[in-house]
């Protein structure tokens, strides 16, 4: 499950780093997310996941009751996906896996609703998650080639989502 949540978080990451990174005061938060992504792909990484989770819980995207305005609204789900991936690595609770997955699915649906271009991004995310699970269930989840392949596929998906969102 560690590589599954890493892939979900990676697919969401640029929806956080793009909009949030535009605010230089938020550079430490963007750096935290980027560092988290690198650590999520390491198995095992021996990381202090609890400290990272506590730091992330202070992000405005995770503390507010209100949705962020404009493009930052998509950073809310992205921050949640990364946070739940970290939380899973911290405590191994499968509800964190489900929450990470749901954050990615919700975001995909919201982007499709916004763009209203006939592309069902929710279904695309379902297919991505199913492909990740199929890949991981049939392979050595710690193999360098597998990790590199999964991460690159997730990064490309993240890049595409951000590009689509920015063009709206």
């Amino acid at each position: 499950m560690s590589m599954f949540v890493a892939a979900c978080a990676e697919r969401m990451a640029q929806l956080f780093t793009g909009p949030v990174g535009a605010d230089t005061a938020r550079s430490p938060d963007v750096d935290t997310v980027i560092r988290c992504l690198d650590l999520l792909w390491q198995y095992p990484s021996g990381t202090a996941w609890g400290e990272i989770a506590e730091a992330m819980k202070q992000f405005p995207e995770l503390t507010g009751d209100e949705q962020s305005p404009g493009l930052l609204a998509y950073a809310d789900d992205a921050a949640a996906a990364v946070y739940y991936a970290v939380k899973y690595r911290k405590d191994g609770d499968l509800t964190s896996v489900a929450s990470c997955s749901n954050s990615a699915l919700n975001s995909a649906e919201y982007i499709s609703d916004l763009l209203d271009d006939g592309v069902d991004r929710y279904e695309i995310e379902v297919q991505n998650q199913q492909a990740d699970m199929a890949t991981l269930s049939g392979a050595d989840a710690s193999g360098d080639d597998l990790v590199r392949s999964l991460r690159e596929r997730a990064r490309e998906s993240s890049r595409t989502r951000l590009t689509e969102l920015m063009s709206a």
Side-chain angles (χ1 to χ4, degrees):
M1 284 295 149
S2 294
M3 295 296 106
F4 176 77
V5 294
C8 285
E10 189 79 49
R11 275 193 298 280
M12 297 294 295
Q14 291 183 43
L15 296 177
F16 182 86
T17 60
V20 174
D23 178 358
T24 56
R26 298 287 309 279
S27 291
D29 295 344
V30 171
D31 291 344
T32 296
V33 167
I34 292 169
R35 186 171 59 94
C36 281
L37 291 171
D38 288 339
L39 293 170
L40 285 167
W41 288 102
Q42 296 174 20
Y43 187 80
S45 68
T47 302
W49 294 110
E51 291 173 24
I52 295 171
E54 286 303 312
M56 288 191 71
K57 281 173 42 175
Q58 305 309 310
F59 287 8
E61 294 79 12
L62 299 175
T63 59
D65 291 333
E66 297 178 18
Q67 184 176 13
S68 300
L71 290 179
L72 290 173
Y74 300 92
D76 292 351
D77 282 326
V82 175
Y83 170 75
Y84 286 118
V86 168
K87 195 167 179 325
Y88 171 73
R89 291 295 296 269
K90 173 185 170 267
D91 57 28
D93 185 354
L94 291 178
T95 59
S96 294
V97 175
S99 295
C100 180
S101 168
N102 286 334
S103 295
L105 291 166
N106 289 339
S107 177
E109 186 170 28
Y110 296 148
I111 293 171
S112 284
D113 290 347
L114 171 72
L115 298 179
D116 195 26
D117 59 1
V119 176
D120 187 349
R121 289 164 186 83
Y122 181 91
E123 184 57 35
I124 292 169
E125 179 59 24
V126 167
Q127 291 171 4
N128 284 332
Q129 290 185 20
Q130 289 174 338
D132 292 344
M133 292 301 287
T135 298
L136 291 167
S137 67
D140 173 12
S142 63
D144 288 343
D145 289 341
L146 173 71
V147 170
R148 223 179 344 272
S149 172
L150 277 174
R151 188 169 191 188
E152 187 49 44
R153 189 171 72 206
R155 277 183 177 161
E156 182 58 36
S157 180
S158 187
R159 222 175 279 121
T160 298
R161 286 183 186 175
L162 180 60
T163 300
E164 291 172 336
L165 192 57
M166 300 294 281
S167 69

